[in-house]
Amino acid sequence: MSDMYAEMIIDLYRHPMNYGKIENPDIKAQDTNPICGDIIEIQVKLNKGRVKEVKFNGKGCAISQASASLLTEMIKGKKIDELLKMDKKDILDALGIEISPVRLKCALLPLKVLKMGIYSYLGELNKV
Ligand code: FES
């Protein structure tokens, strides 16, 4: 594990970026890591189809919390279709460390939650 990335992960765990809640978010979803029971919720406010504001909350290990911080930072200003194109590689590159198969669910939970929220938002739009 690179010391620099390990330090960044611990620092983000102690001082997460974009932690909190948004009033009346356009996109909102939460899910649990089945292995540990930890929960992540992500809320997004859009403006003209782009991410205007994003917050996450919940609890989890250092990897899941760092991943949520990095993901929420990365998506600011992006369009919904760009978010849907994000994948495992984007998250693992941002974390910058070797993730064991067991911790992969921790690392990818925030992205899974974000995509669940987007699909449910798009589903609601299609009902109108
Ligand atoms: Fe629970 Fe990582 S151990 S999210």
Side-chain angles (χ1 to χ4, degrees):
M1 186 188 286
S2 142
D3 285 353
M4 191 185 81
Y5 281 106
E7 264 175 42
M8 175 195 76
I9 287 170
I10 290 165
D11 196 46
L12 286 174
Y13 180 57
R14 292 195 181 130
H15 311 285
M17 294 185 286
N18 308 314
Y19 192 91
K21 292 189 174 182
I22 294 175
E23 248 178 71
N24 302 318
D26 298 300
I27 296 172
K28 178 178 166 180
Q30 70 166 42
D31 200 17
T32 302
N33 180 345
I35 294 171
C36 59
D38 290 338
I39 294 179
I40 298 262
E41 178 177 68
I42 293 188
Q43 300 179 334
V44 179
K45 193 95 184 153
L46 297 169
N47 181 25
K48 297 180 184 149
R50 287 183 185 268
V51 175
K52 182 180 169 215
E53 196 183 353
V54 53
K55 298 271 186 202
F56 81 95
N57 62 79
K59 69 171 187 77
C61 62
I63 302 243
S64 70
Q65 299 296 291
S67 171
S69 276
L70 293 165
L71 174 70
T72 50
E73 207 48 30
M74 275 155 61
I75 68 171
K76 286 179 182 169
K78 287 204 169 146
K79 290 194 273 181
I80 285 186
D81 57 338
E82 293 177 282
L83 306 186
L84 289 173
K85 284 186 200 142
M86 291 180 76
D87 62 15
K88 179 174 154 182
K89 187 177 180 315
D90 296 309
I91 302 299
L92 297 183
D93 284 354
L95 286 168
I97 56 163
E98 191 86 15
I99 303 280
S100 71
V102 175
R103 307 313 293 275
L104 207 52
K105 279 209 173 359
C106 305
L108 298 179
L109 181 61
L111 181 61
K112 181 183 167 204
V113 171
L114 175 66
K115 290 202 176 181
M116 281 170 49
I118 294 171
Y119 285 120
S120 119
Y121 168 75
L122 294 174
E124 289 299 317
L125 280 189
N126 287 337
K127 278 189 211 159
V128 179

